[in-house]
């Protein structure tokens, strides 16, 4: 049954877009509902998933280009997995991280002194400190695992199948 599903690129296109929506939804929920502020590398890891949503939707809509778009989505997810693996390596101290820091700032009132106070009191979110760890694996680690597996499945499906 799974082999038959992987040969159906029309179904796989929708599943690809849905996976991107689920991953980005979980990340945004952890940020806005769970209070986990992202670091710079966390924010970069969101872009491949956003691209996968677009590529999956395009693959579902444009039948002649479906195989190429699924292949491209697989490559994008794999590249995102490499970025996530790098981030996990930074968290584990295997690689040096960025020297820049990030923080959540909103400039709603238009008052320069309020902005200055926000900038000075904003929490620094470091890339080398995981915000969440489950079973010894950080969110970046889980993203790396999911991205590599999903990317390889998409690449294999696109290579083996005929455009449905």
């Amino acid at each position: 049954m799974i082999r038959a599903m992987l040969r159906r690129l029309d179904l796989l296109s929708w599943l690809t877009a849905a996976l991107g929506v689920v991953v980005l939804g979980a990340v945004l929920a952890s940020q806005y509902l769970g209070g986990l502020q992202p670091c710079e590398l966390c924010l970069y890891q969101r872009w491949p998933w956003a691209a996968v949503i677009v590529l999956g939707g395009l693959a579902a809509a444009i039948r002649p280009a479906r195989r190429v778009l699924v292949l491209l989505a697989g490559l994008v997810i794999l590249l995102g997995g490499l970025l996530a693996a790098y981030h996990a390596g930074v968290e584990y101290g295997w690689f040096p991280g960025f020297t820049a820091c990030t923080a959540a700032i909103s400039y709603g009132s238009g008052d320069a002194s309020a902005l200055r106070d926000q900038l000075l009191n904003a929490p620094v979110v470091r890339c080398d400190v995981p915000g969440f760890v489950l079973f010894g694996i950080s969110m970046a680690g889980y993203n790396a695992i999911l991205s590599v597996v999903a990317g390889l499945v998409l690449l294999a499906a696109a290579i083996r199948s005929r455009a449905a």
Side-chain angles (χ1 to χ4, degrees):
M1 178 171 159
I2 292 177
R3 284 186 183 177
M5 183 184 77
L6 291 178
R7 288 195 181 106
R8 297 250 342 251
L9 285 182
D10 56 338
L11 177 62
L12 197 58
S13 301
W14 286 112
L15 289 175
T16 300
L19 180 62
V21 168
V22 168
V23 168
L24 277 182
V27 168
L28 292 172
S30 72
Q31 178 180 350
Y32 292 107
L33 301 177
L36 292 174
Q37 292 303 312
C39 70
E40 191 170 354
L41 285 172
C42 293
L43 293 173
Y44 290 156
Q45 289 175 71
R46 295 176 184 187
W47 287 102
W49 289 107
V52 164
I53 294 169
V54 173
L55 289 170
L58 287 173
I62 306 172
R63 184 179 173 156
R66 190 169 288 156
R67 185 174 186 188
V68 172
L69 290 168
V70 169
L71 185 68
L72 187 57
L75 289 173
V76 167
I77 291 177
L78 271 179
L79 289 174
L82 289 175
L83 178 61
Y86 170 73
H87 187 191
V90 168
E91 292 173 340
Y92 291 116
W94 300 337
F95 309 118
F98 291 164
T99 57
C101 7
T102 60
I105 301 290
S106 71
Y107 186 60
S109 68
D111 182 18
S113 64
L115 177 62
R116 185 191 70 226
D117 290 340
Q118 267 191 317
L119 287 170
L120 294 175
N121 297 320
V124 175
V125 181
R126 296 175 39 180
C127 293
D128 61 345
V129 178
F132 177 80
V133 176
L134 180 65
F135 306 120
I137 302 174
S138 67
M139 287 180 77
Y142 284 112
N143 185 18
I145 294 166
L146 175 65
S147 296
V148 168
V149 170
L152 290 175
V153 166
L154 285 176
L155 289 176
I159 290 169
R160 289 181 163 205
S161 70
R162 296 173 293 284

